[in-house]
């Protein structure tokens, strides 16, 4: 890739290296591919040259390069977003633990400075839609040999990263007592454990309280093993101090085996790991009575995800294992954890209430294109994308439109004021969205050539925190539809009137506008006349 200052008369097709303000008050943003019209606008603004980049033979454009590595790295339980600005993110499809090959990750990041891959920690507990990985190409392109080398490492021996789902377990709990010990201590232990297990999708199936003596503990373990409870957790009245102490002796007396005692995690040092047949048995350290994060959590989470935990696994937990609050380096573990990056919650609002006046007596939305009703093509694209939920606004011939979409998982909302035009449907559609959505794609039901890939590319670009709160598709420098708006614009969208949409917001909030290049004129194709319908059906 060549990068440097390029005279305007040679800059068409070049990639703008830095944002450039224009006389109109607008600006061209970094990464824009300059068109002939852009060159004229720059010349009118007094520019003679621009800092820009041009591809050379063997260069892979940044989005293509990032997507290739991301797709190679993604394993089970991982969703890959569309790439944008050289970044491709991977998200969890369900709650579970991130399973990662750290050795291969290090090798991949050592290939070349152009390619970077950042991930969550190995075995980190993740939620559905949480970001797991971001693949970022640093310049505007990467050499093909670099991309191919990174893809090979990401695929070597299986995908680089996956999510192990948490599996519901019926857990057995043994709590021991000593003379003078209050039952309230055991009650609080059960309360903290219940909360811990519920977050992980499991439950306490049975608890046994007994004396702190190996015979009674062994009997309780044997009973729970016979009932098929797993794992079995033992909370001793006093800490385990030796492999021959009460809890490990009881495990062996019940017919089990002690695998490992101690771990390089603080709190959690005195954890004991054993098994009875195929049932894991844990001697829980004292910190396990607390709701705070500790080494017990790291072992419990893996077991509930049906991942093996060996003595070597525990002995490798030292890196990052200092969880204890200490003077000079406080760890606010009792405070609310900052929200992890996640896939934005973007809905789709499909406007399907129009009267098709220019089509005559025929409702154009019911006309078939390639054998599928026009409205169904628009809705199917939304359903195939990462947008959820999909809200369809009906109006004219409501029953017929709903019948054309029968069997599809959409939320219908009727606009009784559809004769007032587009604004009434915008108001109706945005008012029907869940309160927790971050934004919405405003889709037109008479644009049957828009694909789900186009919608996902808009979603990938969407990031209000980084100034991309309105995402507009462009082709050859011209803007099209659909448009993605952040939720904070919904009140203003509901204030419009007449047969107009929300285009005024695009002009009013230019500093938060993101133009997303899509090499497909489908973003311009809306069907308004019989001639246009005939042409689209060819």
């Amino acid at each position: 890739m060549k990068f440097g200052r390029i005279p305007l008369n040679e800059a068409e097709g070049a990639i703008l290296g830095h944002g450039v303000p224009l006389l109109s008050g607008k600006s061209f943003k970094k990464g824009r591919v300059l068109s002939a019209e852009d060159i004229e606008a720059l010349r009118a603004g007094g520019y003679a040259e621009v800092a820009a980049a041009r591809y050379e033979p063997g260069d892979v454009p940044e989005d293509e390069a990032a997507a290739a590595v991301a797709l190679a790295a993604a394993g089970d339980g991982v969703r890959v977003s569309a790439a944008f600005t050289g970044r491709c993110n991977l998200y969890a499809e369900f709650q579970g633990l991130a399973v990662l090959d750290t050795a291969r990750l290090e090798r991949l990041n050592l290939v070349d400075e152009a390619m970077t891959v950042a991930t969550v920690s190995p075995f980190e507990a993740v939620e559905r839609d949480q970001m797991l990985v971001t693949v970022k190409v640093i310049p505007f392109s990467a050499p093909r040999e670099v991309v191919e080398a990174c893809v090979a490492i990401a695929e070597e021996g299986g995908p680089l990263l996956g999510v192990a789902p948490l599996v519901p377990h019926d857990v057995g709990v043994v709590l021991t007592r000593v003379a003078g010990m209050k039952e309230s201590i055991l009650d609080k232990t059960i309360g903290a454990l219940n909360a811990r297990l519920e977050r992980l999708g499991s439950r306490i199936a049975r608890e046994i309280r007994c004396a702190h003596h190996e015979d009674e503990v062994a009997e309780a373990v044997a009973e729970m093993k016979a009932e098929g409870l797993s794992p079995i957790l033992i909370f001793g009245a006093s800490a385990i101090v030796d492999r021959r102490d009460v809890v490990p002796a009881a495990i062996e007396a019940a017919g089990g085996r002690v695998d490992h005692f101690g771990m390089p995690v603080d709190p959690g040092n005195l954890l004991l790991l054993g098994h009875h047949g195929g049932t894991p048995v844990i001697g829980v350290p004292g910190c396990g009575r607390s709701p705070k994060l500790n080494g017990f959590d790291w072992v419990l989470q893996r077991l509930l995800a049906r991942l093996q935990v060996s003595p070597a696994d525990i002995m490798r937990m030292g890196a990052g294992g200092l969880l204890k609050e200490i003077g000079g380096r406080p760890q606010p573990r009792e405070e609310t954890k900052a929200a992890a990056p996640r896939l934005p919650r973007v809905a789709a609002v499909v406007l399907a209430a129009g009267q098709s006046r220019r089509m005559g007596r025929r409702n154009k939305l019911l006309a078939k294109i390639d054998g599928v009703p026009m409205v169904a093509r628009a809705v199917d694209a939304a359903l195939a994308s990462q947008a959820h939920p999909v809200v369809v606004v009906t109006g004219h011939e409501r029953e017929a439109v709903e019948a054309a979409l029968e069997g599809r998982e959409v939320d219908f909302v009727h606009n009784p004021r559809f004769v007032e035009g587009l604004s009434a449907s915008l108001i109706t559609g945005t008012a029907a969205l869940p309160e927790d959505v971050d934004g919405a794609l405003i889709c037109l039901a008479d644009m049957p050539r828009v694909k789900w890939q186009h919608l996902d590319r808009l979603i990938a670009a969407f990031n209000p925190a980084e100034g991309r709160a309105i995402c507009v598709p462009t082709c050859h420098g011209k803007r099209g539809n659909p448009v993605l708006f952040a939720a904070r614009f919904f009140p203003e969208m509901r204030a419009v009137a007449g047969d107009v949409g929300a285009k005024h917001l695009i002009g009013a909030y230019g500093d938060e506008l993101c133009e997303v290049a899509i090499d497909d004129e489908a973003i311009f194709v809306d069907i308004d006349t019989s001639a246009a319908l005939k042409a689209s059906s060819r």
Side-chain angles (χ1 to χ4, degrees), residues 40 48 61 92 138 174 241 255 315 323 347-348 351 400 405 415 431 438 443 450 462 468 470 475 480 487 520:
E40 291 306 313
I138 301 302
V174 181
V241 297
M315 296 165 82
L323 305 177
L351 304 182
L405 299 174
N415 170 22
D438 299 308
C443 304
V450 171
F462 180 66
R468 301 193 296 273
I470 303 175
C475 183
D520 192 334

Side-chain angles (χ1 to χ4, degrees), residues 250-329:
I251 294 172
E252 293 182 341
R257 176 177 173 179
V258 173
D259 298 312
H260 190 77
F261 175 49
M263 68 186 310
V265 181
D266 188 11
N269 290 145
L270 300 182
L271 180 137
L272 182 138
L273 176 67
H275 69 274
H276 190 329
T279 302
V281 184
I282 300 178
V284 183
C287 58
R289 299 180 186 273
S290 166
K292 295 180 181 180
L293 178 68
N294 60 79
F296 167 55
D297 289 289
W298 288 4
V299 174
L300 179 65
Q301 289 166 0
R302 294 198 199 187
L303 293 177
L304 296 185
R306 290 186 176 168
L307 297 174
Q308 288 189 342
V309 183
S310 68
D313 291 329
I314 291 178
M315 296 165 82
R316 291 190 180 104
M317 292 181 179
L322 183 54
L323 305 177
K324 185 175 182 178
E325 290 109 349
I326 57 176
R329 192 185 71 88

Side-chain angles (χ1 to χ4, degrees), residues 15-32:
I15 306 165
L16 196 59
H18 304 285
V20 177
L22 302 175
L23 287 178
S24 62
K26 298 180 180 180
S27 64
F28 290 158
K29 295 184 179 181
K30 169 189 172 183
R32 185 184 185 97

Side-chain angles (χ1 to χ4, degrees), residues 206-273:
R206 185 181 178 192
E207 66 170 278
I208 296 176
R209 302 185 182 190
C210 63
H212 190 69
H213 189 280
E214 52 263 38
D215 291 343
E216 293 197 27
V217 176
E219 183 179 348
V221 169
E223 285 184 25
M224 291 182 172
K225 171 66 169 62
E227 293 174 15
L229 304 183
S230 178
I232 298 171
L233 310 178
I234 305 173
F235 289 82
S238 60
I240 303 169
V241 297
D242 189 86
R243 272 179 165 264
R244 291 154 294 191
D245 208 342
V246 170
V247 171
I251 294 172
E252 293 182 341
R257 176 177 173 179
V258 173
D259 298 312
H260 190 77
F261 175 49
M263 68 186 310
V265 181
D266 188 11
N269 290 145
L270 300 182
L271 180 137
L272 182 138
L273 176 67

